[in-house]
Amino acid sequence: MTRLLSIATTVLIAGTTCLVVSPSAMASQDPPGAGSFGNGPSTSGNASGDTLSATAGAVVYDRSKNGSGQSAGPVAAATGWTPPACWYAPTYSPEELQKIKEPVWEAESTGYEWDAKQREKYLNEDDHSKDFNKDKTGEGYWWGSYVNKSYPPGWDSCKEDYFWVDTGDAPPANIDNVITPEILAGLAYNEIRVPSTKVTLAPAGPTKVNLPTWAWLDAAQFKPVSVTASVPVLAMEATTVAEPVSLRIEPGTADAQVYPASGVCTFTNGRIGEPYAAGKASQTPPCGVKYLRSSGDGSYPLRATITWKISWTGTGVNNPQALPDGEFGAEQAVVVQEIQAVNR
C-alpha cells in the first residue's frame, strides 16, 4: 500500500477533494530551540479546488454527499466545540526531508548550535550512520505536524520535531495529537455544509395580525449529509454524518405566538411542518407563528435555525459516535399587516 501511495506519485481519487498541504517555506525561519512548529506542512486550499499534496499524510476529503449550493453553510457547534487544531501524521520520505532540511543548514540562518543538533539528529556527519534514515526508504515516514486551515484555538500547540515511524508501527506513546479516526471525524465535521433554512410561510402574501401563519421546509432539501476524511497512506478514515432533527423559530418580536409553544418544530416523516392548504386558515399549524402586532412600514426578522444531530464512524469504529449537535440558521423578513375590514 505504501508503494502505491508513494508521495512522489500524483494520486487521483474519483469523487473526492482533499485538503492541500504544502511543505512550508518557513523551515528556514525556525528559531533555535524550536520544535517542528513552522517547519511542518500547513493547510490551505478550498472546497472546490483541493489536490493531493506531496506530503504523505495529507487529509483527503470526500464531499460528494455534502450539502451544496450558494445558500449552504457550515454548522456551528451548539456547545462551543472546536475542530482539531493540529495533529501529527506521516509527512516526508527520507529523501524529501533531506531536501527540506539541508537548505536551512546551508543558509546558516538558525545558528551554529541549532544546525549542529539538527545534523546530529538527522544525519550524524561523523559516520553517516543516520543519513535521514535512507536505509529505511519505503519502510516508513518522518512524521510532522499539520495545522487546521481554520486555525481554531490551539493551532500552534503541535511543536514536536519530526520523528520517524516504521510502517505498521504505532507512533511514540508520549506524543499527543497523533492522527486518529476521531481527529479525522472532527476535521470532517468542520467541512460539513448544510442547506439554507429559509422556511415557506403561508397563507401567501403578507402575514396578517392574529391569524396563524403556517411554516414548513422542503423535505427534499433536508436530508442527512456527510463528509469522509481519510489519510490513504495509513488506510485510516472517518465519516461524519449530520442529520436534521428540529427547527427553532424566533419571530423577531415579542408580540408573537409560536407553534408549538416551545418554538421548536421536530422532523416527522422526513419533513418539518405541514404545507398550508385552502381551508386551514383558522386551524392551529403544527409549526408556525401568529403575530399579534403589525410590523408597520417595516418587517420582522424571523429567524429559522435547524439543529443537526452529528455522529461519526470510522476505521475500527463501526457504532456511531456522537459529536456535538450543530446549528445553522438564517433570517427572513416578514411583513405583518392589520386585517382590513370592509364596510358596506
Side-chain angles (χ1 to χ4, degrees):
M1 179 191 71
T2 301
R3 294 184 183 277
L4 291 175
L5 292 168
S6 169
I7 54 178
T9 302
T10 300
V11 181
L12 297 178
I13 302 177
T16 68
T17 53
C18 62
L19 189 65
V20 173
V21 283
S22 56
S24 174
M26 293 175 62
S28 61
Q29 301 173 12
D30 287 348
S36 68
F37 169 63
N39 62 351
S42 59
T43 65
S44 62
N46 56 61
S48 61
D50 296 344
T51 56
L52 190 62
S53 79
T55 57
V59 176
V60 177
Y61 293 106
D62 179 354
R63 303 184 183 89
S64 61
K65 298 179 181 178
N66 206 6
S68 60
Q70 292 184 348
S71 62
V75 293
T79 62
W81 174 91
T82 57
C86 65
W87 61 94
Y88 297 98
T91 309
Y92 299 122
S93 69
E95 293 79 5
E96 287 168 336
L97 185 60
Q98 181 180 21
K99 291 178 182 179
I100 294 294
K101 287 292 185 182
E102 287 190 338
V104 177
W105 302 337
E106 293 171 0
E108 298 181 348
S109 60
T110 52
Y112 173 79
E113 291 186 6
W114 172 250
D115 289 348
K117 289 180 180 179
Q118 291 279 289
R119 290 173 187 270
E120 174 65 22
K121 174 178 179 177
Y122 298 108
L123 187 59
N124 197 348
E125 291 182 312
D126 292 337
D127 58 13
H128 296 281
S129 61
K130 295 178 182 176
D131 196 20
F132 291 94
N133 283 0
K134 286 183 181 177
D135 59 323
K136 291 188 174 183
T137 297
E139 300 176 8
Y141 289 101
W142 288 100
W143 285 44
S145 61
Y146 291 73
V147 177
N148 191 317
K149 66 179 182 180
S150 62
Y151 298 103
W155 65 269
D156 56 349
S157 61
C158 293
K159 299 181 180 181
E160 293 285 345
D161 201 359
Y162 295 109
F163 53 91
W164 179 264
V165 179
D166 286 333
T167 299
D169 286 355
N174 64 324
I175 296 181
D176 296 328
N177 296 331
V178 297
I179 194 70
T180 63
E182 185 173 8
I183 286 178
L184 288 174
L187 294 173
Y189 186 121
N190 204 36
E191 297 297 318
I192 288 285
R193 297 294 180 268
V194 296
S196 170
T197 54
K198 183 175 181 179
V199 296
T200 302
L201 301 175
T207 296
K208 306 300 183 182
V209 170
N210 290 324
L211 283 182
T213 297
W214 293 56
W216 69 93
L217 293 170
D218 181 357
Q221 294 185 28
F222 290 89
K223 297 179 179 180
V225 299
S226 67
V227 172
T228 297
S230 64
V231 178
V233 77
L234 296 177
M236 180 187 296
E237 68 174 26
T239 297
T240 299
V241 178
E243 180 180 2
V245 291
S246 64
L247 165 69
R248 185 175 70 253
I249 292 179
E250 299 168 272
T253 173
D255 294 317
Q257 178 181 343
V258 291
Y259 305 100
S262 64
V264 177
C265 309
T266 58
F267 271 77
T268 304
N269 298 324
R271 71 181 186 187
I272 280 187
E274 180 181 325
Y276 176 79
K280 292 184 177 181
S282 61
Q283 298 180 22
T284 299
C287 183
V289 59
K290 180 170 68 176
Y291 286 95
L292 308 178
R293 187 184 298 273
S294 166
S295 60
D297 295 331
S299 61
Y300 292 125
L302 181 145
R303 183 169 184 83
T305 302
I306 294 284
T307 295
W308 297 77
K309 180 181 178 181
I310 301 180
S311 62
W312 69 277
T313 56
T315 304
V317 181
N318 296 322
N319 294 324
Q321 304 295 304
L323 284 168
D325 288 349
E327 295 182 342
F328 185 62
E331 288 186 355
Q332 58 196 86
V334 178
V335 175
V336 181
Q337 298 177 344
E338 296 282 358
I339 298 176
Q340 300 297 316
V342 177
N343 295 320
R344 293 183 183 275

